[in-house]
Amino acid sequence: MSTPGKIVVVGGGLAGITAAIALREVGADVTLVEARPRLGGATTSFSRGGLVVDNGQHVFLRCCVAYRGLLARLGMTGSVALQDRFDVTVLGPGGRARLRRTALPGPLHMGQALVGYRFLSRAQRLRVGRAALAMAALNPAREDLDRQRLGDWLAAHGQDEQTRRLLWDLFTVSALNVAGDDANLALAATVVKTALLGARDAADIGVPGIPLGDLHGRAAGEHLARIGAQVRLGAKAAAVEVLPGAPGGPGASGARFRVRLAGRPGGDDPPESAGPVLDADGVVLAVPPAVAAKLAPAGLGRGPAAGDMPGPAQWRELGTSPIVNVHVIYDRRVTRLPFVAAVDSPVQWVFDRTGPSGLRSGQYLAVSLSAADAYVDVPASALRKQFLPAMADLLPAAREARVTDFFVTRERRATLRQVPGCERLRPGGATALPGLVLAGAWTDTGWPDTMEGAVRSGLNAVRVLRQELAAPGRAGLVAGPAGSPGAVNGSGPADRPVPAGGSAGTGATA
């Protein structure tokens, strides 16, 4: 076939949006279906008392070339603020420190920041340097690293409890959304090597300047409409079926699919299994792992074609980790910093959301709590009693300010639970059924479950799908390697980020 044909993308988060754009750009007839009444997936906004509130704080790093490329495709590059230089103020009840990179090449660029980090002793800082160099030598692709806890590895390399809590946790907890010691070593090494030990500007932090619902969902809807993709909101997929007699049986190289949509709840439609249908040459499942396992055709994970690739049974084994966001609105400004990190405090990261929310007076701060198992079921009243004093300990001006509003948002299944053993359960873009591919930050992208991982997964899915549906001899239809900026359309300079070119971000970093 001269184009990838008719494709249904199930799921309208960042992964599905990326896949739909990339497929449409190479001529596919694309229909994206999303169960919710909006696009954007886990990155969304809602209204409260005249304010626009993000469900959670999502940020990105300069090294997130795929996510930044998606923003460029959506025309949203000017709607985010990206630091000129990595610069983080760290607050503790007893004072503050500043982590700021220099213009030296990596990994030397972080040396001065480490030397001046006052929360650790000189001996501890020296040991951090040695451990960082040891981590730089790790290959995250080694299978044995998937079986190891980060805390065990750090302890074996001279990192005591205090050092792990006051430095390493600043970055690994928010990036991996799991308690620092429990994190998967392979994924932790990916984060540290890529962001902190790689290119000198890799860790520069970017934050949204407008609500997430506008940055992702609204912008994506408008762009997809402009390029001719069909978007069906409020359309819940109930099943993906292989059409009887379609290619895809034993010895075949392709398949035709039927995506069955659920009937309207409470309406006159038949049950879910008898809802409207969409026929397609290929399907992208850009949904969470449990949903993908439910939608997949029966028997997908069995038989010789499955080989060693993780199937629906393994997808269901993947755990999830929660994120909680504590939102505090003060009657006056209590800090002039756009964001801060905290140590020796229940507070992890704090972001100023005054401007994006539309608040006209006072200051709106969002406290992002990753690995929030201890908080996800705590009533808002109890969190108020804990976090308002903690904020006052960190920000002296908050002691005199009046709190005009306090509320909590909870994402119970915010990310994949990135603990030892999770990597062997993460599938790639391909499944045992040619033409049916997977996308989502939970799939194996080489990145943690972040916005960057989500966008990269959309690339991976499109690359695999185009390979599987390409006619023999038509190599031009096959996308480039995963992570290459030219992989959307087979061309483009390697330093130009595009949506399928390369981040859930989640928690405080992505």
Side-chain angles (χ1 to χ4, degrees), residues 4 55 96 139 282 305 371 438 465:
N55 67 318
R96 66 171 57 195
N139 177 5
L438 302 172
L465 190 61

mmCIF file with all atom_site columns, all heavy atoms in Angstrom, residues 4 55 96 139 282 305 371 438 465:
data_model
loop_
_atom_site.group_PDB
_atom_site.id
_atom_site.type_symbol
_atom_site.label_atom_id
_atom_site.label_alt_id
_atom_site.label_comp_id
_atom_site.label_asym_id
_atom_site.label_entity_id
_atom_site.label_seq_id
_atom_site.pdbx_PDB_ins_code
_atom_site.Cartn_x
_atom_site.Cartn_y
_atom_site.Cartn_z
_atom_site.occupancy
_atom_site.B_iso_or_equiv
_atom_site.pdbx_formal_charge
_atom_site.auth_seq_id
_atom_site.auth_comp_id
_atom_site.auth_asym_id
_atom_site.auth_atom_id
_atom_site.pdbx_PDB_model_num
ATOM 1  N N   . PRO A 1 4   ? 0.009  4.317   4.964  1.00 0.00 ? 4   PRO A N   1
ATOM 2  C CA  . PRO A 1 4   ? -0.325 3.377   6.029  1.00 0.00 ? 4   PRO A CA  1
ATOM 3  C C   . PRO A 1 4   ? -1.797 2.987   6.081  1.00 0.00 ? 4   PRO A C   1
ATOM 4  O O   . PRO A 1 4   ? -2.170 2.152   6.887  1.00 0.00 ? 4   PRO A O   1
ATOM 5  C CB  . PRO A 1 4   ? 0.094  4.136   7.291  1.00 0.00 ? 4   PRO A CB  1
ATOM 6  C CG  . PRO A 1 4   ? 1.123  5.103   6.824  1.00 0.00 ? 4   PRO A CG  1
ATOM 7  C CD  . PRO A 1 4   ? 0.670  5.512   5.469  1.00 0.00 ? 4   PRO A CD  1
ATOM 8  N N   . ASN A 1 55  ? -4.624 19.567  36.960 1.00 0.00 ? 55  ASN A N   1
ATOM 9  C CA  . ASN A 1 55  ? -4.815 18.418  37.851 1.00 0.00 ? 55  ASN A CA  1
ATOM 10 C C   . ASN A 1 55  ? -3.537 18.043  38.581 1.00 0.00 ? 55  ASN A C   1
ATOM 11 O O   . ASN A 1 55  ? -3.567 17.429  39.652 1.00 0.00 ? 55  ASN A O   1
ATOM 12 C CB  . ASN A 1 55  ? -5.331 17.210  37.061 1.00 0.00 ? 55  ASN A CB  1
ATOM 13 C CG  . ASN A 1 55  ? -4.302 16.667  36.086 1.00 0.00 ? 55  ASN A CG  1
ATOM 14 O OD1 . ASN A 1 55  ? -3.610 17.421  35.401 1.00 0.00 ? 55  ASN A OD1 1
ATOM 15 N ND2 . ASN A 1 55  ? -4.207 15.355  36.003 1.00 0.00 ? 55  ASN A ND2 1
ATOM 16 N N   . ARG A 1 96  ? 18.700 27.440  53.183 1.00 0.00 ? 96  ARG A N   1
ATOM 17 C CA  . ARG A 1 96  ? 18.521 27.157  51.761 1.00 0.00 ? 96  ARG A CA  1
ATOM 18 C C   . ARG A 1 96  ? 19.856 26.891  51.091 1.00 0.00 ? 96  ARG A C   1
ATOM 19 O O   . ARG A 1 96  ? 20.914 27.263  51.600 1.00 0.00 ? 96  ARG A O   1
ATOM 20 C CB  . ARG A 1 96  ? 17.804 28.305  51.065 1.00 0.00 ? 96  ARG A CB  1
ATOM 21 C CG  . ARG A 1 96  ? 18.592 29.614  51.001 1.00 0.00 ? 96  ARG A CG  1
ATOM 22 C CD  . ARG A 1 96  ? 17.908 30.642  50.109 1.00 0.00 ? 96  ARG A CD  1
ATOM 23 N NE  . ARG A 1 96  ? 16.547 30.938  50.514 1.00 0.00 ? 96  ARG A NE  1
ATOM 24 C CZ  . ARG A 1 96  ? 15.660 31.570  49.759 1.00 0.00 ? 96  ARG A CZ  1
ATOM 25 N NH1 . ARG A 1 96  ? 15.989 31.960  48.543 1.00 0.00 ? 96  ARG A NH1 1
ATOM 26 N NH2 . ARG A 1 96  ? 14.445 31.821  50.205 1.00 0.00 ? 96  ARG A NH2 1
ATOM 27 N N   . ASN A 1 139 ? 25.310 0.862   32.145 1.00 0.00 ? 139 ASN A N   1
ATOM 28 C CA  . ASN A 1 139 ? 24.516 0.734   30.925 1.00 0.00 ? 139 ASN A CA  1
ATOM 29 C C   . ASN A 1 139 ? 23.093 0.361   31.329 1.00 0.00 ? 139 ASN A C   1
ATOM 30 O O   . ASN A 1 139 ? 22.839 -0.779  31.740 1.00 0.00 ? 139 ASN A O   1
ATOM 31 C CB  . ASN A 1 139 ? 25.098 -0.340  30.010 1.00 0.00 ? 139 ASN A CB  1
ATOM 32 C CG  . ASN A 1 139 ? 24.256 -0.551  28.759 1.00 0.00 ? 139 ASN A CG  1
ATOM 33 O OD1 . ASN A 1 139 ? 23.273 0.162   28.518 1.00 0.00 ? 139 ASN A OD1 1
ATOM 34 N ND2 . ASN A 1 139 ? 24.624 -1.532  27.951 1.00 0.00 ? 139 ASN A ND2 1
ATOM 35 N N   . GLY A 1 282 ? -5.063 -0.752  10.651 1.00 0.00 ? 282 GLY A N   1
ATOM 36 C CA  . GLY A 1 282 ? -4.182 -0.832  11.806 1.00 0.00 ? 282 GLY A CA  1
ATOM 37 C C   . GLY A 1 282 ? -4.782 -0.105  12.984 1.00 0.00 ? 282 GLY A C   1
ATOM 38 O O   . GLY A 1 282 ? -5.624 0.787   12.823 1.00 0.00 ? 282 GLY A O   1
ATOM 39 N N   . ALA A 1 305 ? 3.882  -16.633 17.719 1.00 0.00 ? 305 ALA A N   1
ATOM 40 C CA  . ALA A 1 305 ? 4.133  -15.247 17.329 1.00 0.00 ? 305 ALA A CA  1
ATOM 41 C C   . ALA A 1 305 ? 4.438  -14.366 18.523 1.00 0.00 ? 305 ALA A C   1
ATOM 42 O O   . ALA A 1 305 ? 5.106  -13.337 18.403 1.00 0.00 ? 305 ALA A O   1
ATOM 43 C CB  . ALA A 1 305 ? 2.929  -14.686 16.566 1.00 0.00 ? 305 ALA A CB  1
ATOM 44 N N   . ALA A 1 371 ? 5.348  9.829   44.530 1.00 0.00 ? 371 ALA A N   1
ATOM 45 C CA  . ALA A 1 371 ? 5.408  8.634   45.388 1.00 0.00 ? 371 ALA A CA  1
ATOM 46 C C   . ALA A 1 371 ? 4.496  8.835   46.599 1.00 0.00 ? 371 ALA A C   1
ATOM 47 O O   . ALA A 1 371 ? 4.878  8.604   47.741 1.00 0.00 ? 371 ALA A O   1
ATOM 48 C CB  . ALA A 1 371 ? 6.836  8.350   45.824 1.00 0.00 ? 371 ALA A CB  1
ATOM 49 N N   . LEU A 1 438 ? 1.186  -0.664  20.275 1.00 0.00 ? 438 LEU A N   1
ATOM 50 C CA  . LEU A 1 438 ? 0.956  -0.063  21.583 1.00 0.00 ? 438 LEU A CA  1
ATOM 51 C C   . LEU A 1 438 ? 1.668  1.278   21.695 1.00 0.00 ? 438 LEU A C   1
ATOM 52 O O   . LEU A 1 438 ? 2.756  1.466   21.151 1.00 0.00 ? 438 LEU A O   1
ATOM 53 C CB  . LEU A 1 438 ? 1.474  -0.984  22.687 1.00 0.00 ? 438 LEU A CB  1
ATOM 54 C CG  . LEU A 1 438 ? 0.895  -2.388  22.764 1.00 0.00 ? 438 LEU A CG  1
ATOM 55 C CD1 . LEU A 1 438 ? 1.669  -3.218  23.787 1.00 0.00 ? 438 LEU A CD1 1
ATOM 56 C CD2 . LEU A 1 438 ? -0.590 -2.347  23.130 1.00 0.00 ? 438 LEU A CD2 1
ATOM 57 N N   . LEU A 1 465 ? 4.210  0.352   13.176 1.00 0.00 ? 465 LEU A N   1
ATOM 58 C CA  . LEU A 1 465 ? 3.031  0.187   12.320 1.00 0.00 ? 465 LEU A CA  1
ATOM 59 C C   . LEU A 1 465 ? 3.383  0.391   10.853 1.00 0.00 ? 465 LEU A C   1
ATOM 60 O O   . LEU A 1 465 ? 2.937  -0.365  9.978  1.00 0.00 ? 465 LEU A O   1
ATOM 61 C CB  . LEU A 1 465 ? 1.943  1.172   12.760 1.00 0.00 ? 465 LEU A CB  1
ATOM 62 C CG  . LEU A 1 465 ? 0.559  0.987   12.132 1.00 0.00 ? 465 LEU A CG  1
ATOM 63 C CD1 . LEU A 1 465 ? -0.013 -0.391  12.471 1.00 0.00 ? 465 LEU A CD1 1
ATOM 64 C CD2 . LEU A 1 465 ? -0.388 2.075   12.622 1.00 0.00 ? 465 LEU A CD2 1
#
